[in-house]
Amino acid sequence: MMVHEDAVPAGPAGNFLEGAAAAAWITRLAAPLAGAAGGPLAGLQFAAKDNIDVADVPTTAACPAFARTPAVHAQVVQRLLDAGAALHGKTNLDQFACGLNGTRSPYGPVPNSFDARYVSGGSSSGSAYVVATGQVDFALGTDTAGSGRVPAGLNNIVGIKPTRGLISARGVVPAAQSVDCVSIFARTVAVAARVLQAAIGFDPEDPFARSLELETRPLPAQFRFGVPSRLRFFGDTQAEAAFERSLAQLRALGGSPVEIDYSPLSEAAALLYDSALVAERYAAVRDFFDGHDSEVIEPVRGILAQGRGYGAADFVDARVKLQALGQRAAAIWADIDVLLVPTAPAHYTIAAMQADPVALNRNLGEYTNFVNLLDYAAISVPACLREDGLPFGITLIGRAGSDFQLAELGQRFHHATGLALGATGQPLPPPETLPQIAPVPTVRVAVVGAHLSGMPLNGQLTERGARLVEATHTAADYRLYALPGTVPPKPGLARVAPGEGAAIAVEIWEMPLAHYGSFVALIPAPLGIGTLALAGGRSVQGFLCESLALDGADDITSLGGWRAYMAQRTAPAPA
């Protein structure tokens, strides 16, 4: 039998270091449970939310009267141990995974890792805290309505909410079994993605497991991200300002915002608690709840009790309505590649949450509740620290199977922030090549004229997923001409003998190799593609002009580049 420390109820965390750490754990193993030697996760330490079974350790779901001691590990725990990770214990949660704030536990509220006066987010509160503070490398949570994302966003860590059914939920106390997901917390996307890869595996004994073909291509360099038509921050102006900064950062990564109709997503989210769908939460613990409801704390007891009042026909009606909303929501994906939302639109103190536990908890789920109901994948990544020092996170949402594609963009976004790792103060390590993402072969091409950014033909590059790498100059061996009779005006670049040319301004663009042929096919004579020598001794494919076409062309070499020539053409004539 495994040796472990007894679970001791913790009072409200008063001391940030001692009280908070105690509240984060329900069971801390006296010695970590070692994983297999040499596996892909060897050397990593992890924790599991205490609604996930670990053999010979009580599973409480934060309800001592419910506690049972399983004989075997949950399937996901077994897979991670087999992959080499070492388990350190079980973490606190909102009771029966019913909440998004981390205060609904008899073992004590779990405070925020940056400021103990504030909520950690829930229901996977303890898992997020022990990752953010560096006690383990990653942790398992669960996510039905945002429990694997909200705590990540509020603690400056990464939270992956996988596509439903990719990770087995066998051995997990259900919250709403048809939409439950095991989630992953880590301080970097790379670690979270490695854990996800190890955790995925079809389990025929999980009634909601499935095997999907995952998207392995990264998003194109120029992508479209949806932004809800209606954004609410419930008076939290610092969260609103942080989201605006996040929009600008995603634009800098090549994204173009597209406003989407948020109403079908919002209506779907409301069904989770305001319809017969809440009966699934009651059904998950009915056998225990019907005989021991007095052992369940409020407001969890009231939420579960709601489910008793609905009949089978009510549940069917709610499922049909959800299906119809899913059809409406599907239309947004014709115009976007990914959806961007705030992970949490506001951040509350523990005192405020306990004073108004239902309304403020509902606010935290404004942008999370619909995701599992509509079968999307999601990742929450750190975005910034607000002016008050509290973390703010964004969530990237994609269609089922886009898990690693979202992770690739999430890693690029996270590493562009320059934030530290969780609450540790340690710098982010270099980004890593993520599992499952196949590298896309690319080619670089130098453009000198109408294909420059902002010029008339630049769209021929961007519509092929090309991205601007740098602005630079050729070696000093070229002359630049304005070709006569071309619309739009086009330049001719020609290499000349050493000492007879100059350095000419160019841009280097990188595009997927698969699209390069169609781009070259658009280039009209006398222009063509050849090898350009760049300043510093490098060379790259780029535009050149046949020498015969330069007869009668204006030599504009002295201007140094096409932009200067076009600026001169459009400048007003002197009076």
Side-chain angles (χ1 to χ4, degrees), residues 33-44 46 55 72-87 138 140 168 170 194-195 197-202:
L33 181 59
L41 302 182
L44 295 183
F46 79 106
V72 297
H73 300 308
Q75 176 72 357
V76 62
V77 171
Q78 187 64 62
R79 289 187 66 88
L80 298 178
L81 291 170
D82 291 344
L87 179 67
F138 71 91
L140 296 179
S168 172
R170 177 159 53 102
R194 286 169 56 197
V195 175
Q197 183 181 40
I200 289 174
F202 178 73

Side-chain angles (χ1 to χ4, degrees), residues 63 232 312 351 404 468 564:
C63 181
R232 295 201 297 171
F404 289 100
L468 177 62

Side-chain angles (χ1 to χ4, degrees), residues 4-372:
H4 61 86
E5 298 177 0
D6 291 334
V8 179
N15 180 283
F16 176 63
L17 295 176
E18 296 179 7
W25 296 94
I26 289 180
T27 303
R28 189 82 180 262
L29 301 182
L33 181 59
L41 302 182
L44 295 183
Q45 317 296 313
F46 79 106
K49 185 177 180 178
D50 198 23
N51 61 344
I52 301 173
D53 285 349
V54 173
D56 301 325
V57 177
T59 296
T60 71
C63 181
F66 173 82
R68 54 176 175 74
T69 302
V72 297
H73 300 308
Q75 176 72 357
V76 62
V77 171
Q78 187 64 62
R79 289 187 66 88
L80 298 178
L81 291 170
D82 291 344
L87 179 67
H88 281 246
K90 310 283 290 295
T91 55
N92 201 355
L93 63 149
D94 284 319
Q95 193 171 72
F96 291 116
C98 195
L100 291 172
N101 59 80
T103 70
R104 299 173 175 178
S105 171
Y107 297 97
V110 179
N112 187 266
S113 60
F114 278 71
D115 188 332
R117 298 171 299 170
Y118 284 80
V119 299
S120 60
S123 61
S124 309
S125 51
S127 289
Y129 184 90
V130 299
V131 169
T133 54
Q135 298 178 57
V136 292
D137 299 301
F138 71 91
L140 296 179
T142 59
D143 189 308
T144 303
S147 299
R149 289 162 278 155
V150 170
L154 298 184
N155 284 280
N156 196 44
I157 61 174
V158 173
I160 287 182
K161 199 267 351 144
T163 299
R164 288 185 340 218
L166 284 186
I167 298 177
S168 172
R170 177 159 53 102
V172 177
V173 177
Q177 193 171 7
S178 70
V179 291
D180 287 345
C181 297
V182 174
S183 65
I184 298 163
F185 296 105
R187 290 183 293 279
T188 67
V189 174
V191 169
R194 286 169 56 197
V195 175
L196 176 62
Q197 183 181 40
I200 289 174
F202 178 73
D203 179 5
E205 295 184 55
D206 175 359
F208 292 97
R210 56 180 170 166
S211 182
L212 284 177
E213 183 175 339
L214 300 179
E215 178 58 73
T216 61
R217 299 169 298 173
L219 288 171
Q222 305 295 319
F223 60 91
R224 303 160 302 167
F225 65 91
V227 180
S229 54
R230 175 186 57 76
L231 283 163
R232 295 201 297 171
F233 294 90
F234 304 100
D236 192 330
T237 57
Q238 294 208 30
E240 186 172 6
F243 187 67
E244 286 299 320
R245 293 199 296 273
S246 301
L247 288 172
Q249 185 174 322
L250 207 55
R251 286 192 191 97
L253 292 177
S256 298
V258 177
E259 185 176 284
I260 60 106
D261 178 11
Y262 190 63
S263 57
L265 308 182
S266 179
E267 290 173 38
L271 290 176
L272 193 63
Y273 293 107
D274 295 341
S275 78
L277 294 186
V278 76
E280 192 169 3
R281 285 191 177 269
Y282 162 64
V285 292
R286 175 174 52 181
D287 291 343
F288 170 80
F289 189 71
D290 284 350
H292 304 86
D293 61 353
S294 62
E295 302 285 352
V296 180
I297 64 173
E298 287 290 3
V300 177
R301 180 168 61 245
I303 293 169
L304 297 178
Q306 278 182 261
R308 289 170 165 160
Y310 291 102
D314 298 322
F315 187 78
V316 170
D317 288 345
R319 294 296 302 180
V320 171
K321 185 174 183 180
L322 177 62
Q323 189 72 15
L325 290 169
Q327 298 280 39
R328 284 175 54 197
I332 71 173
W333 299 102
D335 299 317
I336 63 173
D337 301 299
V338 64
L339 175 61
L340 171 71
V341 295
T343 298
H347 203 158
Y348 300 111
T349 64
I350 291 174
M353 182 61 65
Q354 291 177 327
D356 192 2
V358 175
L360 298 192
N361 185 85
R362 186 185 293 265
N363 292 351
L364 290 179
E366 177 74 8
Y367 299 105
T368 61
N369 287 352
F370 67 88
V371 176
N372 284 355

Side-chain angles (χ1 to χ4, degrees), residues 412-431:
R412 285 197 282 136
F413 183 96
H414 187 198
H415 283 262
T417 65
L419 289 166
L421 289 167
T424 68
Q426 299 172 355
L428 276 171

